[in-house]
Amino acid sequence: MALLKDYFSQPSCEVEINLKLVNEESVEFFIDFRSGPAFPEVHTEIVCLKRDFLKLLDDLKQIDTMHLSMLEPHDPGLCIYHIPLFGNYYYPGHGFLQVPEHERDEWEPYYRLIFVLDAGEKNNHSASETGPALCLKVKMEQINEFVDSLKSEVNSF
């Protein structure tokens, strides 16, 4: 089991991945989204190629605070978006806005990850990039622990 929680003193949002089966070619896992008492828990079972799953984990460790990322395996089921902390953003009425270079040192860097489950795959329709989503604000140390935990589980099967 690997758990990634929001970076707060009392986190209420989390993504949990439990491996069910790992063989030479594929990985089968359960994924749960929990977002506090206001929303129901969302969960599904995903099967993907083992090499794609490991590539997704490696890619997750490569994100940075400047570039937008979309991480997904070839098989449908899960997509992870990363919204950069210091990228250019369009704000209606204000145009493009970016944190000035001299102010960035004052910010404690964090990563906004949006985990999206494939609703089309779950409902036996064609694959899509839309479905239930959960956004977490995390530190790189948390990402590394999450990825390392999953990799060690995959290798122990």
Side-chain angles (χ1 to χ4, degrees):
M1 173 191 85
L3 195 62
L4 185 61
K5 293 184 175 194
D6 240 351
Y7 182 72
F8 288 111
S9 59
Q10 296 179 341
S12 61
C13 295
E14 61 188 24
V15 170
E16 181 180 339
I17 294 180
N18 288 300
L19 297 180
K20 179 180 177 185
L21 177 69
V22 176
N23 60 34
E24 291 298 317
E25 297 296 321
S26 63
V27 174
E28 184 176 355
F29 61 94
F30 295 104
I31 185 164
D32 297 290
F33 292 173
R34 295 185 195 95
S35 52
F39 298 98
E41 184 175 311
V42 175
H43 51 89
T44 193
E45 185 176 341
I46 298 174
V47 178
C48 65
L49 293 173
K50 183 177 179 180
R51 69 173 183 266
D52 287 345
F53 184 72
L54 294 173
K55 175 82 169 98
L56 176 74
L57 296 177
D58 288 338
D59 289 347
L60 195 53
K61 290 178 95 169
Q62 301 301 317
I63 60 175
D64 60 37
T65 56
M66 294 293 296
H67 299 94
L68 180 69
S69 305
M70 180 179 153
L71 314 171
E72 63 180 342
H74 285 89
D75 296 319
L78 174 66
C79 184
I80 304 171
Y81 295 92
H82 162 248
I83 308 227
L85 180 61
F86 298 121
N88 288 322
Y89 300 104
Y90 179 76
Y91 290 93
H94 298 284
F96 285 99
L97 183 62
Q98 186 173 20
V99 175
E101 191 78 38
H102 66 279
E103 290 182 18
R104 293 182 188 182
D105 292 337
E106 300 170 14
W107 291 52
E108 184 179 15
Y110 64 86
Y111 301 85
R112 220 175 289 120
L113 300 178
I114 302 171
F115 291 79
V116 181
L117 297 178
D118 186 343
E121 180 69 15
K122 180 66 177 170
N123 295 319
N124 296 319
H125 298 115
S126 63
S128 69
E129 296 172 346
T130 61
L134 182 67
C135 181
L136 296 178
K137 184 175 160 181
V138 296
K139 308 291 281 175
M140 184 51 82
E141 298 82 33
Q142 292 174 273
I143 293 171
N144 288 334
E145 287 175 18
F146 181 71
V147 168
D148 293 342
S149 173
L150 282 170
K151 280 185 166 183
S152 68
E153 272 191 71
V154 166
N155 292 329
S156 70
F157 258 86

